[in-house]
């Protein structure tokens, strides 16, 4: 489910095990042919490159649900229209 946080940043809210949601996220990125440049060793974070732009996808657990957010390389939130576009693509291509 695509939601907007209190600061007007788009988030993708997904219920389920954080580890499983992260695996699905990576699988979806792969199916979209987005290049994962790097993954965090100790967390749910991946750096991806789209059209020469670098973004960081970060998954955080909130109770039984998880939020996927899109950041710029400098850790600021990505532009809302770019983040919405990426999260919508992930949402629409999520494995059933």
């Amino acid at each position: 489910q695509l939601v907007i946080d209190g600061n007007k940043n788009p988030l993708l809210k997904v219920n389920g095990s954080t580890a499983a949601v992260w695996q699905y996220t990576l699988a979806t990125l792969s199916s979209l042919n987005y290049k994962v440049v790097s993954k965090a060793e100790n967390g749910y974070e991946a750096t991806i490159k789209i059209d020469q732009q670098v973004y960081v996808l970060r998954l955080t657990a909130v109770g039984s649900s998880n939020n996927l957010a899109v950041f710029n390389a400098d850790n600021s939130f990505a532009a809302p229209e770019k983040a919405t576009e990426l999260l919508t693509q992930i949402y629409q291509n999520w494995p059933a």
Side-chain angles (χ1 to χ4, degrees), residues 1 12-29 31-32 57 59 66 68 86-96:
Q1 161 187 24
L12 189 58
K13 187 175 176 178
V14 188
N15 291 324
S17 140
T18 306
V21 169
W22 186 241
Q23 289 307 315
Y24 283 130
T25 301
L26 294 176
T28 304
L29 289 172
S31 76
L32 290 167
L57 281 175
L59 185 68
N66 302 280
L68 187 63
L86 177 57
L87 293 172
T88 299
Q89 288 176 335
I90 292 171
Y91 177 73
Q92 290 172 341
N93 292 278
W94 196 257

Side-chain angles (χ1 to χ4, degrees), residues 66-84:
N66 302 280
N67 290 328
L68 187 63
V70 183
F71 295 90
N72 293 312
D74 66 2
N75 274 334
S76 61
F77 274 97
E81 60 279 359
K82 274 289 178 200
T84 300

Side-chain angles (χ1 to χ4, degrees), residues 5-73:
D5 74 6
N7 297 319
K8 307 259 187 284
N9 294 304
L11 302 170
L12 189 58
K13 187 175 176 178
V14 188
N15 291 324
S17 140
T18 306
V21 169
W22 186 241
Q23 289 307 315
Y24 283 130
T25 301
L26 294 176
T28 304
L29 289 172
S30 174
S31 76
L32 290 167
N33 292 318
Y34 287 141
K35 181 174 178 7
V36 175
V37 181
S38 66
K39 288 185 271 201
E41 291 290 318
N42 55 356
Y44 301 106
E45 188 175 298
T47 303
I48 62 171
K49 195 170 191 177
I50 304 170
D51 302 330
Q52 305 307 308
Q53 264 297 78
V54 173
Y55 296 103
V56 178
L57 281 175
R58 198 170 294 141
L59 185 68
T60 51
V62 184
S64 65
S65 77
N66 302 280
N67 290 328
L68 187 63
V70 183
F71 295 90
N72 293 312

